[in-house]
Amino acid sequence: MATKIRIVEKFNESVKHINKANEVSTDISYAQKELERASNTIYQTLEWTIKILLYEIFPDSYLNQKEHSIIEATSFPKKLDLLKKNISPTFEAQNIDINIIKELKKIVRNNPEHSGYIPHYNSLLKVINETRKIIANYFVDTETNLDKVIENNIVV
C-alpha cells in the first residue's frame, strides 16, 4: 500500500510532467507524451489516495467486508462514491468537486490510455487541482510539499 509520502511524490510527479509539457509546448510529440504521463500519474495518485482514506474509515476487513470488496475492486466510481458518503468533513465542506474527477476521467485518462487521444489540458488541470485539495485537506501537513503547475511563468 502506498504511503501518504509516496502519494505526495506521485502527485508532484504529475505536476512535473504537466510543467514539462508547458516548457516544450512547441515540440508537440514530446508535450503529448508529458501530458499522457501527467494524466496517468494523477489518476494513479487519486486511486492510492482514495484507498488510503477508505482504509482509514473502514480499517476492519471483517466488520467492513462489503466496503473492503469495493475498495479492492476495479471500479473507480464506486470507490469514489463510497468515500464521498463516508468522508468527514465532507467534500462539499472542503470545496472539493469529485464530479470533476469522475466526469473528466474519460477525456483525461481513459481515452488517452486506451485510444491514443491527447489528454485534454484544461481538464487535466482541473483534476490536478481537485486532487491537490483532497490531499491538502485530508492528509496532515502535506500541502506545503505539493508542487504547483506553472503556465507561462504563472503558478496556477
Tab-separated table of all heavy atoms in Angstrom, residues 84-123:
chain	number	residue	atom	x	y	z
A	84	LYS	N	-17.116	9.491	-0.809
A	84	LYS	CA	-17.970	10.678	-0.695
A	84	LYS	C	-19.019	10.508	0.406
A	84	LYS	O	-19.276	11.439	1.169
A	84	LYS	CB	-18.666	10.969	-2.026
A	84	LYS	CG	-19.548	12.194	-1.973
A	84	LYS	CD	-20.280	12.437	-3.274
A	84	LYS	CE	-21.177	13.649	-3.130
A	84	LYS	NZ	-21.958	13.913	-4.317
A	85	LYS	N	-19.591	9.327	0.510
A	85	LYS	CA	-20.636	9.069	1.512
A	85	LYS	C	-20.095	9.025	2.936
A	85	LYS	O	-20.847	9.232	3.889
A	85	LYS	CB	-21.334	7.736	1.219
A	85	LYS	CG	-22.188	7.753	-0.019
A	85	LYS	CD	-22.772	6.375	-0.284
A	85	LYS	CE	-23.416	6.310	-1.650
A	85	LYS	NZ	-23.759	4.944	-2.050
A	86	ASN	N	-18.798	8.745	3.087
A	86	ASN	CA	-18.270	8.471	4.426
A	86	ASN	C	-17.170	9.403	4.910
A	86	ASN	O	-16.789	9.336	6.072
A	86	ASN	CB	-17.758	7.023	4.468
A	86	ASN	CG	-18.885	6.033	4.326
A	86	ASN	OD1	-19.611	5.767	5.266
A	86	ASN	ND2	-19.064	5.499	3.117
A	87	ILE	N	-16.660	10.253	4.061
A	87	ILE	CA	-15.546	11.123	4.459
A	87	ILE	C	-16.054	12.250	5.365
A	87	ILE	O	-17.171	12.733	5.207
A	87	ILE	CB	-14.823	11.700	3.210
A	87	ILE	CG1	-13.467	12.296	3.561
A	87	ILE	CG2	-15.677	12.722	2.488
A	87	ILE	CD1	-12.398	11.300	3.748
A	88	SER	N	-15.220	12.609	6.321
A	88	SER	CA	-15.564	13.713	7.213
A	88	SER	C	-14.304	14.535	7.468
A	88	SER	O	-13.265	13.958	7.825
A	88	SER	CB	-16.105	13.166	8.526
A	88	SER	OG	-16.435	14.237	9.379
A	89	PRO	N	-14.386	15.836	7.304
A	89	PRO	CA	-15.514	16.604	6.802
A	89	PRO	C	-15.819	16.258	5.344
A	89	PRO	O	-14.972	15.733	4.638
A	89	PRO	CB	-15.056	18.060	6.952
A	89	PRO	CG	-13.575	18.015	7.088
A	89	PRO	CD	-13.206	16.671	7.598
A	90	THR	N	-17.016	16.598	4.928
A	90	THR	CA	-17.471	16.224	3.590
A	90	THR	C	-16.653	16.946	2.516
A	90	THR	O	-16.038	17.981	2.762
A	90	THR	CB	-18.954	16.582	3.390
A	90	THR	OG1	-19.086	18.009	3.416
A	90	THR	CG2	-19.840	15.921	4.433
A	91	PHE	N	-16.686	16.367	1.311
A	91	PHE	CA	-16.040	17.027	0.176
A	91	PHE	C	-16.643	18.411	-0.051
A	91	PHE	O	-15.930	19.362	-0.329
A	91	PHE	CB	-16.181	16.192	-1.105
A	91	PHE	CG	-15.290	14.974	-1.154
A	91	PHE	CD1	-15.764	13.797	-1.691
A	91	PHE	CD2	-13.986	15.010	-0.696
A	91	PHE	CE1	-14.948	12.684	-1.769
A	91	PHE	CE2	-13.163	13.895	-0.756
A	91	PHE	CZ	-13.646	12.729	-1.302
A	92	GLU	N	-17.951	18.500	0.070
A	92	GLU	CA	-18.621	19.784	-0.144
A	92	GLU	C	-18.126	20.828	0.856
A	92	GLU	O	-17.887	21.978	0.489
A	92	GLU	CB	-20.145	19.628	-0.033
A	92	GLU	CG	-20.764	18.809	-1.143
A	92	GLU	CD	-20.640	17.291	-0.948
A	92	GLU	OE1	-20.270	16.826	0.150
A	92	GLU	OE2	-20.903	16.572	-1.922
A	93	ALA	N	-17.964	20.428	2.108
A	93	ALA	CA	-17.482	21.352	3.129
A	93	ALA	C	-16.056	21.819	2.839
A	93	ALA	O	-15.665	22.915	3.240
A	93	ALA	CB	-17.544	20.697	4.512
A	94	GLN	N	-15.301	20.997	2.133
A	94	GLN	CA	-13.912	21.335	1.789
A	94	GLN	C	-13.798	21.957	0.396
A	94	GLN	O	-12.700	22.146	-0.118
A	94	GLN	CB	-13.025	20.088	1.878
A	94	GLN	CG	-13.012	19.442	3.236
A	94	GLN	CD	-12.415	20.336	4.311
A	94	GLN	OE1	-12.094	21.503	4.101
A	94	GLN	NE2	-12.269	19.811	5.502
A	95	ASN	N	-14.950	22.207	-0.234
A	95	ASN	CA	-14.986	22.797	-1.577
A	95	ASN	C	-14.275	21.918	-2.609
A	95	ASN	O	-13.541	22.410	-3.466
A	95	ASN	CB	-14.405	24.214	-1.568
A	95	ASN	CG	-14.784	24.995	-2.795
A	95	ASN	OD1	-15.826	24.766	-3.403
A	95	ASN	ND2	-13.923	25.918	-3.189
A	96	ILE	N	-14.498	20.611	-2.502
A	96	ILE	CA	-13.920	19.643	-3.437
A	96	ILE	C	-15.047	19.115	-4.313
A	96	ILE	O	-16.059	18.645	-3.803
A	96	ILE	CB	-13.240	18.477	-2.683
A	96	ILE	CG1	-12.072	19.009	-1.847
A	96	ILE	CG2	-12.784	17.394	-3.654
A	96	ILE	CD1	-11.505	18.014	-0.859
A	97	ASP	N	-14.851	19.189	-5.607
A	97	ASP	CA	-15.856	18.736	-6.568
A	97	ASP	C	-15.419	17.394	-7.159
A	97	ASP	O	-14.669	17.354	-8.138
A	97	ASP	CB	-16.042	19.775	-7.671
A	97	ASP	CG	-17.186	19.449	-8.608
A	97	ASP	OD1	-17.729	18.328	-8.534
A	97	ASP	OD2	-17.530	20.318	-9.426
A	98	ILE	N	-15.891	16.304	-6.559
A	98	ILE	CA	-15.481	14.994	-7.066
A	98	ILE	C	-16.123	14.666	-8.402
A	98	ILE	O	-15.661	13.770	-9.100
A	98	ILE	CB	-15.714	13.857	-6.054
A	98	ILE	CG1	-17.186	13.633	-5.789
A	98	ILE	CG2	-14.927	14.078	-4.796
A	98	ILE	CD1	-17.481	12.260	-5.261
A	99	ASN	N	-17.177	15.396	-8.765
A	99	ASN	CA	-17.763	15.179	-10.088
A	99	ASN	C	-16.768	15.531	-11.186
A	99	ASN	O	-16.768	14.901	-12.248
A	99	ASN	CB	-19.058	15.963	-10.246
A	99	ASN	CG	-20.159	15.367	-9.400
A	99	ASN	OD1	-20.258	14.157	-9.243
A	99	ASN	ND2	-20.988	16.221	-8.836
A	100	ILE	N	-15.921	16.507	-10.947
A	100	ILE	CA	-14.859	16.832	-11.904
A	100	ILE	C	-13.965	15.620	-12.109
A	100	ILE	O	-13.653	15.235	-13.233
A	100	ILE	CB	-14.037	18.053	-11.425
A	100	ILE	CG1	-14.858	19.326	-11.604
A	100	ILE	CG2	-12.700	18.153	-12.148
A	100	ILE	CD1	-14.203	20.572	-11.041
A	101	ILE	N	-13.577	14.990	-11.009
A	101	ILE	CA	-12.696	13.833	-11.070
A	101	ILE	C	-13.366	12.682	-11.814
A	101	ILE	O	-12.753	12.036	-12.665
A	101	ILE	CB	-12.277	13.407	-9.642
A	101	ILE	CG1	-11.391	14.493	-9.027
A	101	ILE	CG2	-11.586	12.050	-9.652
A	101	ILE	CD1	-11.183	14.359	-7.542
A	102	LYS	N	-14.640	12.433	-11.496
A	102	LYS	CA	-15.367	11.327	-12.144
A	102	LYS	C	-15.663	11.611	-13.609
A	102	LYS	O	-15.416	10.782	-14.474
A	102	LYS	CB	-16.688	11.053	-11.411
A	102	LYS	CG	-16.543	10.102	-10.274
A	102	LYS	CD	-17.778	9.419	-9.779
A	102	LYS	CE	-19.039	10.143	-9.632
A	102	LYS	NZ	-20.013	9.424	-8.804
A	103	GLU	N	-16.203	12.783	-13.877
A	103	GLU	CA	-16.669	13.094	-15.225
A	103	GLU	C	-15.529	13.312	-16.215
A	103	GLU	O	-15.693	13.050	-17.407
A	103	GLU	CB	-17.583	14.318	-15.194
A	103	GLU	CG	-18.894	14.040	-14.482
A	103	GLU	CD	-19.712	15.287	-14.202
A	103	GLU	OE1	-19.337	16.386	-14.679
A	103	GLU	OE2	-20.727	15.160	-13.493
A	104	LEU	N	-14.389	13.763	-15.743
A	104	LEU	CA	-13.287	14.041	-16.649
A	104	LEU	C	-12.329	12.865	-16.827
A	104	LEU	O	-11.409	12.939	-17.638
A	104	LEU	CB	-12.517	15.285	-16.185
A	104	LEU	CG	-13.313	16.587	-16.214
A	104	LEU	CD1	-12.450	17.746	-15.724
A	104	LEU	CD2	-13.861	16.865	-17.603
A	105	LYS	N	-12.553	11.783	-16.102
A	105	LYS	CA	-11.639	10.639	-16.202
A	105	LYS	C	-11.548	10.111	-17.628
A	105	LYS	O	-10.479	9.749	-18.104
A	105	LYS	CB	-12.057	9.525	-15.252
A	105	LYS	CG	-11.009	8.412	-15.205
A	105	LYS	CD	-11.282	7.384	-14.160
A	105	LYS	CE	-10.090	6.458	-14.088
A	105	LYS	NZ	-10.417	5.098	-13.889
A	106	LYS	N	-12.662	10.104	-18.326
A	106	LYS	CA	-12.667	9.559	-19.686
A	106	LYS	C	-11.763	10.382	-20.608
A	106	LYS	O	-10.935	9.826	-21.323
A	106	LYS	CB	-14.089	9.504	-20.233
A	106	LYS	CG	-14.166	8.876	-21.605
A	106	LYS	CD	-15.601	8.724	-22.070
A	106	LYS	CE	-15.635	8.040	-23.429
A	106	LYS	NZ	-16.998	7.884	-23.928
A	107	ILE	N	-11.910	11.714	-20.601
A	107	ILE	CA	-11.118	12.511	-21.541
A	107	ILE	C	-9.705	12.807	-21.050
A	107	ILE	O	-8.815	13.077	-21.846
A	107	ILE	CB	-11.831	13.823	-21.935
A	107	ILE	CG1	-12.049	14.735	-20.754
A	107	ILE	CG2	-13.115	13.543	-22.659
A	107	ILE	CD1	-12.574	16.108	-21.133
A	108	VAL	N	-9.494	12.716	-19.742
A	108	VAL	CA	-8.159	12.984	-19.203
A	108	VAL	C	-7.303	11.723	-19.186
A	108	VAL	O	-6.133	11.752	-19.549
A	108	VAL	CB	-8.247	13.600	-17.783
A	108	VAL	CG1	-6.880	13.650	-17.112
A	108	VAL	CG2	-8.851	14.992	-17.857
A	109	ARG	N	-7.869	10.600	-18.794
A	109	ARG	CA	-7.065	9.395	-18.648
A	109	ARG	C	-7.473	8.238	-19.556
A	109	ARG	O	-6.650	7.654	-20.236
A	109	ARG	CB	-7.085	8.920	-17.200
A	109	ARG	CG	-5.983	7.906	-16.951
A	109	ARG	CD	-6.515	6.685	-16.218
A	109	ARG	NE	-5.549	5.617	-16.238
A	109	ARG	CZ	-5.735	4.490	-16.906
A	109	ARG	NH1	-6.791	4.315	-17.637
A	109	ARG	NH2	-4.860	3.527	-16.845
A	110	ASN	N	-8.750	7.873	-19.583
A	110	ASN	CA	-9.142	6.662	-20.304
A	110	ASN	C	-8.957	6.762	-21.814
A	110	ASN	O	-8.397	5.852	-22.426
A	110	ASN	CB	-10.587	6.287	-19.973
A	110	ASN	CG	-10.732	5.799	-18.549
A	110	ASN	OD1	-9.761	5.707	-17.801
A	110	ASN	ND2	-11.946	5.508	-18.143
A	111	ASN	N	-9.442	7.830	-22.424
A	111	ASN	CA	-9.270	7.970	-23.875
A	111	ASN	C	-7.799	8.017	-24.279
A	111	ASN	O	-7.415	7.335	-25.229
A	111	ASN	CB	-10.023	9.185	-24.408
A	111	ASN	CG	-11.514	8.947	-24.497
A	111	ASN	OD1	-11.985	7.824	-24.414
A	111	ASN	ND2	-12.266	10.015	-24.665
A	112	PRO	N	-6.957	8.781	-23.584
A	112	PRO	CA	-5.534	8.739	-23.937
A	112	PRO	C	-4.907	7.352	-23.733
A	112	PRO	O	-4.137	6.891	-24.573
A	112	PRO	CB	-4.904	9.766	-22.988
A	112	PRO	CG	-6.012	10.712	-22.692
A	112	PRO	CD	-7.249	9.851	-22.640
A	113	GLU	N	-5.254	6.699	-22.651
A	113	GLU	CA	-4.667	5.393	-22.334
A	113	GLU	C	-5.128	4.308	-23.304
A	113	GLU	O	-4.323	3.488	-23.755
A	113	GLU	CB	-5.045	5.003	-20.897
A	113	GLU	CG	-4.578	3.617	-20.478
A	113	GLU	CD	-3.086	3.521	-20.231
A	113	GLU	OE1	-2.401	4.557	-20.148
A	113	GLU	OE2	-2.577	2.392	-20.138
A	114	HIS	N	-6.405	4.287	-23.629
A	114	HIS	CA	-6.958	3.170	-24.390
A	114	HIS	C	-7.160	3.453	-25.874
A	114	HIS	O	-7.298	2.523	-26.661
A	114	HIS	CB	-8.288	2.723	-23.766
A	114	HIS	CG	-8.139	2.288	-22.344
A	114	HIS	ND1	-7.420	1.181	-21.960
A	114	HIS	CD2	-8.588	2.851	-21.191
A	114	HIS	CE1	-7.439	1.058	-20.647
A	114	HIS	NE2	-8.138	2.069	-20.148
A	115	SER	N	-7.196	4.741	-26.265
A	115	SER	CA	-7.479	5.066	-27.664
A	115	SER	C	-6.456	6.006	-28.287
A	115	SER	O	-6.603	6.391	-29.443
A	115	SER	CB	-8.876	5.687	-27.782
A	115	SER	OG	-9.849	4.783	-27.306
A	116	GLY	N	-5.453	6.412	-27.530
A	116	GLY	CA	-4.389	7.234	-28.086
A	116	GLY	C	-4.715	8.705	-28.244
A	116	GLY	O	-3.985	9.430	-28.924
A	117	TYR	N	-5.787	9.169	-27.627
A	117	TYR	CA	-6.113	10.594	-27.692
A	117	TYR	C	-5.142	11.398	-26.835
A	117	TYR	O	-4.576	10.888	-25.878
A	117	TYR	CB	-7.535	10.857	-27.176
A	117	TYR	CG	-8.621	10.338	-28.068
A	117	TYR	CD1	-9.217	9.103	-27.831
A	117	TYR	CD2	-9.063	11.082	-29.157
A	117	TYR	CE1	-10.224	8.612	-28.660
A	117	TYR	CE2	-10.063	10.608	-29.988
A	117	TYR	CZ	-10.636	9.372	-29.735
A	117	TYR	OH	-11.619	8.906	-30.550
A	118	ILE	N	-5.008	12.658	-27.178
A	118	ILE	CA	-4.199	13.565	-26.358
A	118	ILE	C	-5.045	13.984	-25.157
A	118	ILE	O	-6.202	14.382	-25.327
A	118	ILE	CB	-3.786	14.816	-27.161
A	118	ILE	CG1	-2.920	14.414	-28.354
A	118	ILE	CG2	-3.046	15.817	-26.274
A	118	ILE	CD1	-2.636	15.543	-29.321
A	119	PRO	N	-4.510	13.895	-23.940
A	119	PRO	CA	-5.273	14.348	-22.775
A	119	PRO	C	-5.681	15.812	-22.922
A	119	PRO	O	-4.892	16.638	-23.386
A	119	PRO	CB	-4.299	14.173	-21.611
A	119	PRO	CG	-3.322	13.146	-22.081
A	119	PRO	CD	-3.196	13.370	-23.565
A	120	HIS	N	-6.893	16.114	-22.534
A	120	HIS	CA	-7.388	17.484	-22.611
A	120	HIS	C	-6.722	18.305	-21.507
A	120	HIS	O	-6.910	18.033	-20.317
A	120	HIS	CB	-8.912	17.498	-22.469
A	120	HIS	CG	-9.517	18.825	-22.721
A	120	HIS	ND1	-9.790	19.710	-21.702
A	120	HIS	CD2	-9.864	19.439	-23.882
A	120	HIS	CE1	-10.300	20.805	-22.216
A	120	HIS	NE2	-10.363	20.674	-23.538
A	121	TYR	N	-5.941	19.293	-21.917
A	121	TYR	CA	-5.088	20.039	-20.991
A	121	TYR	C	-5.873	20.718	-19.865
A	121	TYR	O	-5.559	20.544	-18.688
A	121	TYR	CB	-4.268	21.071	-21.768
A	121	TYR	CG	-3.367	21.887	-20.883
A	121	TYR	CD1	-2.129	21.385	-20.490
A	121	TYR	CD2	-3.757	23.132	-20.410
A	121	TYR	CE1	-1.297	22.114	-19.666
A	121	TYR	CE2	-2.925	23.867	-19.586
A	121	TYR	CZ	-1.710	23.359	-19.212
A	121	TYR	OH	-0.880	24.070	-18.377
A	122	ASN	N	-6.889	21.503	-20.205
A	122	ASN	CA	-7.636	22.236	-19.169
A	122	ASN	C	-8.362	21.289	-18.223
A	122	ASN	O	-8.473	21.566	-17.026
A	122	ASN	CB	-8.610	23.225	-19.803
A	122	ASN	CG	-7.892	24.403	-20.432
A	122	ASN	OD1	-6.796	24.776	-20.020
A	122	ASN	ND2	-8.495	24.988	-21.453
A	123	SER	N	-8.847	20.173	-18.749
A	123	SER	CA	-9.496	19.174	-17.893
A	123	SER	C	-8.482	18.534	-16.958
A	123	SER	O	-8.770	18.301	-15.781
A	123	SER	CB	-10.177	18.107	-18.755
A	123	SER	OG	-11.198	18.686	-19.532
